[in-house]
Amino acid sequence: MLIAGNWKMNTDLPTARQLASAVVSSVGDPNPVRVAIFPPMVSIDAVFSVIHGSPVLLGAQNVHDGEYGAYTGEVSAPMLRSAGCHYVIVGHSERRQHFGETDETVNFKIASSRANRLVPVVCVGETLSERDAGREKQIVERQIRAGMKGVAIGSGLEMVVAYEPIWAIGTGRTATPEQAQEMHALIRKILIDLFGKTSGSDIDILYGGSMKPGNAAELLSQPDVGGGLIGGASLKAEDFAAIVAAAVKAV
Ligand code: 13P
């Protein structure tokens, strides 16, 4: 089980330090649930200093698929690795929507993350119109199969998938536990097909989209929901701690 806080384009350097420190204080050591935070790039190093030595893991929100070179403004997997990152979010719907990411660029980014020993948190999910048209399973299956093309893993701990229905992100509207479970079961089936029974069964499949203290327990109790990718509620230390506590109860 993994509870991951995606801070998106929020916090400046001092508030990132404060929030990271509050997360560290609220997480037990050792903790039965993995906890990770994903600050903005500019705060990665400062947050690493705050959480270093605690069970809280660090992740970045994006990565370029190359290693070094003339790509102004970009940050690569070896750079993130050297800054203390364990995870990186790849293919978040906001990046697909606003920054032109495609299944193909997602595939390159996953490959580079793996080659540099970062664990990709691969985001998939359908729009409301795709769900209304009954195409949500087809969309998610395409995103996973195309994103993972040619990717190999040694164990299920080397990959995370996050199902984030776009209509549930930042809207206050969550998928019902049944809708989440139905999609997660399909994702589990595809992952077993791609990576084999052992690794495919061990990959954490996170749910994301308006997860809050009030709905976390129910979502996390679904058999194929292996954690949460939290946006808005990860910016409030008490709310994030409450979701971590719900996860601890669910394991
Ligand atoms: P919210 O929790 O704000 O809906 O965001 C979800 C998300 O996009 C996490 O990556």
Side-chain angles (χ1 to χ4, degrees), residues 2 5 7 20 35-41 43-52 54-61 80-89 118-119 121:
L2 167 67
W7 297 357
V35 176
I37 51 180
F38 295 74
M41 285 298 182
S43 299
I44 289 275
D45 186 42
V47 166
F48 181 67
S49 302
V50 173
I51 66 177
H52 189 55
S54 85
V56 179
L57 294 162
L58 182 62
Q61 299 173 17
L80 294 176
R81 184 74 211 174
S82 75
C85 287
H86 181 86
Y87 295 105
V88 63
I89 295 174
L118 287 171
V119 177
V121 178

Side-chain angles (χ1 to χ4, degrees), residues 5 25 34 36 62 72 75 78 116 120 141 164 172 180 191 205 217 219-220 242:
S25 316
R34 283 186 291 282
N62 184 31
T72 302
V75 173
N116 290 284
E141 177 150 11
E164 299 204 306
L191 293 175
I205 306 171
L219 286 159
L220 294 170

